[in-house]
Amino acid sequence: GAVVSQHPSRVICKSGTSVKIECRSLDFQATTMFWYRQFPKKSLMLMATSNEGSKATYEQGVEKDKFLINHASLTLSTLTVTSAHPEDSSFYICSALQGTHNYGYTFGSGTRLTVV
Amino acid sequence: QQQVKQSPQSLIVQKGGISIINCAYENTAFDYFPWYQQFPGKGPALLIAIRPDVSEKKEGRFTISFNKSAKQFSLHIMDSQPGDSATYFCAPLVSGAGGTSYGKLTFGQGTILTVHP
């Protein structure tokens, strides 16, 4: 089955620094990947849609300069949280769409970001 | 506008019992109705999904019931087990929305299921 690997699973960083989170589709090519944010005991909030070779599409209210997304290849998308602050602490989850199958969404295992 | 309303927020069931989670939606253009299961500290995983051309789908202990006229679909977990304790999300989508070849999942608020041994 389709596998999406997300790395790191946990990261602690100092306020003001930047953190990069990687999302890889291991056994399929993903032209489209999605990045979500989830607060404790809350639902997933879509942050942006990442398409290989083009600029990401951000949801309303998401700061594109704060959350930089790069989808450089068909198997890798990265989310960089720039100049992180404690309020950026959250659980970040990526999802990849397998090929042209509209319904084949596979999620990564998530990254717990803590900004101190 | 809240497009998807999931209930209950939390549910406690005894081992062997039936767990029922409901999802009501507004957007009649939704054409794919999945349920996702999420364990603490992990990403969601697809549990079961249904298309609107059928009213029920069963996979093992898990059943989706779909009521198009009422704009509702539900997840039934038969013979609930402690290992089923997790958060469940409905996340319908409109395929091909906005001229794209894919749709965006619209997540419900989530239901925290606890199955007591």
Side-chain angles (χ1 to χ4, degrees):
Chain A
V3 178
V4 172
S5 174
Q6 193 171 336
H7 180 80
S9 58
R10 290 177 176 270
V11 59
I12 301 173
C13 72
K14 291 186 177 181
S15 191
T17 62
S18 295
V19 173
K20 181 184 285 188
I21 302 169
E22 292 188 348
C23 181
R24 293 181 184 273
S25 56
L26 296 187
D27 49 1
F28 66 98
Q29 293 185 331
T31 54
T32 304
M33 290 186 175
F34 304 87
W35 287 95
Y36 295 85
R37 183 173 182 176
Q38 186 178 32
F39 291 103
K41 298 188 186 299
K42 296 294 184 182
S43 188
L44 281 74
M45 180 186 75
L46 180 64
M47 299 173 65
T49 303
S50 166
N51 289 292
E52 187 267 337
S54 63
K55 290 184 178 180
T57 303
Y58 291 82
E59 296 298 302
Q60 192 172 9
V62 177
E63 299 176 62
K64 57 182 67 176
D65 294 332
K66 157 72 76 176
F67 300 101
L68 299 180
I69 292 172
N70 185 284
H71 195 153
S73 76
L74 286 171
T75 59
L76 175 64
S77 177
T78 60
L79 168 67
T80 301
V81 182
T82 63
S83 186
H85 289 96
E87 57 264 31
D88 299 324
S89 298
S90 192
F91 192 53
Y92 293 88
I93 309 170
C94 70
S95 173
L97 181 60
Q98 186 173 3
T100 57
H101 182 14
N102 289 347
Y103 313 108
Y105 296 84
T106 303
F107 286 82
S109 55
T111 297
R112 172 73 60 195
L113 170 63
T114 304
V115 185
V116 297
Chain B
Q1 181 187 8
Q2 194 171 19
Q3 291 201 54
V4 177
K5 289 186 179 181
Q6 189 176 333
S7 62
Q9 282 188 315
S10 62
L11 181 61
I12 299 174
V13 175
Q14 291 296 122
K15 179 182 176 181
I18 302 173
S19 305
I20 301 174
I21 305 171
N22 299 298
C23 190
Y25 62 93
E26 308 250 339
N27 189 349
T28 56
F30 285 143
D31 59 359
Y32 178 65
F33 301 87
W35 285 95
Y36 284 85
Q37 180 188 55
Q38 184 182 29
F39 292 105
K42 300 295 182 182
L46 178 65
L47 187 63
I48 189 171
I50 198 169
R51 305 280 180 89
D53 53 344
V54 295
S55 60
E56 187 174 284
K57 181 177 181 180
K58 183 176 181 179
E59 291 183 356
R61 296 185 294 110
F62 303 94
T63 300
I64 290 184
S65 296
F66 179 69
N67 187 329
K68 188 173 182 177
S69 60
K71 293 188 287 185
Q72 293 183 352
F73 63 109
S74 60
L75 173 67
H76 296 235
I77 305 175
M78 311 298 288
D79 187 26
S80 299
Q81 300 296 312
D84 298 329
S85 297
T87 301
Y88 293 81
F89 294 97
C90 61
L93 68 74
V94 179
S95 61
T100 63
S101 61
Y102 58 85
K104 297 178 185 177
L105 297 168
T106 304
F107 280 88
Q109 298 80 5
T111 297
I112 300 173
L113 172 64
T114 303
V115 181
H116 285 156

